[in-house]
Amino acid sequence: MTQEHPEHRGKGRPRAFDREQALHAALELFWKEGYEPASVARLCEVMDIKPPSLYASFGNKAALFLEAVRHYEQVYWREPSQRFLAEPDLQRGVEEFFATAAKILLSPETPCGCMLVLAAVNISPAETEIIEAIREMRMETKAMFAGRLRRAVADGQIPADTDITALSGALNALLEGLSLQARDGLSREELAAMAARAVHLLPARGRA
């Protein structure tokens, strides 16, 4: 009887592996080297799998990249976003969210700088599928800000004539800017000071 190879248990079926651990390894490589320079061979090396397993489990390199980015969003940003949306006081919510963002972006345990932002500036224009998917994910963050600001208008925390589109765009732009500044090597104190300016974007009644 032929012994089954540990890498394949039937055609198209990869060996068992820790998917989350593999995604995190891929995420770190994509962050360090960029999407295009990170070869399939190198990805397999850091993920500790063989190419057939990568394709069987993730589809292709582009699909792996997008799943790694979603993994990053889920692991590092889901909880802060939920706390922001659950906080009844808009000013406190903005202050705490951006303070947390500064810590995440410079944490030694996470890739430095938000992968959504870094992906947007490091991907070739030819990668239209990735560019569109990343754009949609970035717009989800802007939509989160917009939804919370509309609640604040309804609650009377900010004026009814607040330009929600412009304000949510400004908050999102600051968050993305923090990501790039983190990648450029700003200190934790400098990044925290920038993040603290977010609340000053709110209309006067929101700072009262």
Side-chain angles (χ1 to χ4, degrees):
M1 183 175 179
T2 303
Q3 185 175 2
E4 191 173 43
H5 193 284
E7 185 69 25
H8 297 283
R9 294 176 173 84
K11 186 177 180 181
R13 294 176 59 194
R15 66 175 171 83
F17 66 96
D18 188 322
R19 190 181 188 89
E20 183 171 324
Q21 183 176 333
L23 280 172
H24 198 82
L27 173 66
E28 290 189 338
L29 184 67
F30 282 131
W31 169 72
K32 291 175 182 176
E33 298 189 1
Y35 173 74
E36 293 179 15
S39 66
V40 169
R42 185 75 179 106
L43 285 163
C44 288
E45 180 182 348
V46 300
M47 296 168 73
D48 192 26
I49 60 176
K50 301 296 184 183
S53 290
L54 186 150
Y55 291 115
S57 298
F58 300 100
N60 55 33
K61 179 181 169 181
L64 169 61
F65 176 78
L66 291 176
E67 187 168 343
V69 173
R70 292 188 183 99
H71 168 74
Y72 169 80
E73 288 284 287
Q74 178 78 11
V75 171
Y76 299 111
W77 292 98
R78 181 182 180 185
E79 185 178 346
S81 297
Q82 289 178 334
R83 290 201 307 268
F84 169 68
L85 292 174
E87 170 55 55
D89 183 82
L90 176 64
Q91 177 177 336
R92 187 179 301 115
V94 168
E95 288 175 338
E96 292 179 352
F97 178 83
F98 277 86
T100 300
K103 293 177 182 178
I104 291 173
L105 293 171
L106 284 182
S107 170
E109 299 177 358
T110 63
C112 187
C114 179
M115 284 300 297
L116 284 182
V117 177
L118 299 179
V121 298
N122 289 335
I123 298 296
S124 165
E127 299 288 350
T128 55
E129 179 184 355
I130 293 178
I131 290 173
E132 179 58 25
I134 293 297
R135 187 193 70 81
E136 290 178 2
M137 283 188 269
R138 291 170 66 203
M139 290 303 100
E140 287 175 3
T141 304
K142 183 178 178 180
M144 176 190 74
F145 286 132
R148 183 62 190 87
L149 291 171
R150 291 190 188 97
R151 279 173 46 206
V153 169
D155 294 342
Q157 294 188 53
I158 56 177
D161 62 354
T162 298
D163 188 335
I164 299 297
T165 300
L167 183 51
S168 61
L171 289 169
N172 198 47
L174 176 57
L175 181 60
E176 293 183 352
L178 291 175
S179 301
L180 294 174
Q181 293 289 325
R183 183 62 184 266
D184 287 345
L186 251 67
S187 69
R188 187 179 300 275
E189 292 74 19
E190 289 173 316
L191 203 69
M194 291 177 61
R197 304 304 299 175
V199 71
H200 294 280
L201 295 173
L202 300 177
R205 200 183 306 174
R207 297 199 302 269

